[in-house]
Amino acid sequence: MAQSSFFGKRNSDSSKTETPASTPAAPAASAPAATPAARPAGFFGSAPGGASPAVGAPPSFASSENQDSAGDAKESKLTVGPNIKLKGVEITDCDVLFIDGVVEATLDSKLIQISEQGSFNGTANIDVAEIRGTFDGDLTVRNKLTVFATGKVTGKIRYGKLVVEEGANISGEIQSIAASS
């Protein structure tokens, strides 16, 4: 009687003297070599023959991919995705913050981008802010604050330059940094 093994190979005779513990080990060891198309090149390490990982492979954290041509580290980025809630934190050493979810925090960053679905509640000291969603709290934008038509900003707002699209909603204590100094 022929049986189907785990990897689709058929054993010609089930009455051989192999032990049950050794039977699965033989097909498992030979399956990746017998079917190289079963996994993409670079999926777990490098491709056959030592080639570099395929496009879309997980990044190598020890590689030079995290450095630009000058050898300096690239910007540190944090993305808070949709349906994610990040509460009660202090975000530091973050160059770029993308918000698609909800963040309640204290932030000091170079750039913040809040999507239409995104929301930030708390205190932020930013170089550049682009708001399409909601911001509620203390916002200090050292350079340029842009509030898009879908954006809503409330609270204590300080800015270097201000760009407001038609339809945007801004309310609270609003003051230019130049006027406050």
Side-chain angles (χ1 to χ4, degrees):
M1 176 177 167
Q3 291 181 349
S4 176
S5 73
F6 183 74
F7 293 100
K9 294 182 181 180
R10 292 182 178 250
N11 294 333
S12 60
D13 187 6
S14 64
S15 64
K16 290 187 179 180
T17 59
E18 295 182 32
T19 61
S22 65
T23 303
S30 63
T35 58
R39 66 179 170 92
F43 187 73
F44 289 108
S46 64
S52 63
V55 174
S60 172
F61 294 106
S63 73
S64 62
E65 293 174 2
N66 293 331
Q67 295 183 356
D68 62 16
S69 59
D72 297 329
K74 287 186 177 180
E75 293 181 328
S76 56
K77 299 177 183 178
L78 175 63
T79 301
V80 179
N83 302 321
I84 303 294
K85 295 178 183 174
L86 185 62
K87 294 184 177 186
V89 296
E90 180 178 344
I91 302 171
T92 59
D93 298 328
C94 177
D95 293 325
V96 181
L97 175 62
F98 298 106
I99 302 174
D100 281 331
V102 177
V103 175
E104 291 182 12
T106 300
L107 170 68
D108 192 354
S109 177
K110 292 181 183 177
L111 171 67
I112 186 173
Q113 291 182 330
I114 303 175
S115 74
E116 291 180 22
Q117 301 83 18
S119 173
F120 184 96
N121 299 320
T123 303
N125 292 308
I126 307 292
D127 287 338
V128 177
E130 299 175 356
I131 301 174
R132 291 175 173 83
T134 60
F135 183 98
D136 185 17
D138 293 342
L139 175 62
T140 301
V141 181
R142 294 178 284 271
N143 293 332
K144 183 178 177 182
L145 167 61
T146 304
V147 184
F148 292 89
T150 57
K152 181 179 180 183
V153 180
T154 57
K156 185 176 180 182
I157 304 158
R158 303 286 179 266
Y159 61 90
K161 295 179 184 176
L162 179 63
V163 177
V164 181
E165 279 190 352
E166 184 177 349
N169 187 341
I170 299 178
S171 62
E173 183 183 329
I174 305 166
Q175 189 173 18
S176 170
I177 291 175
S180 65
S181 15

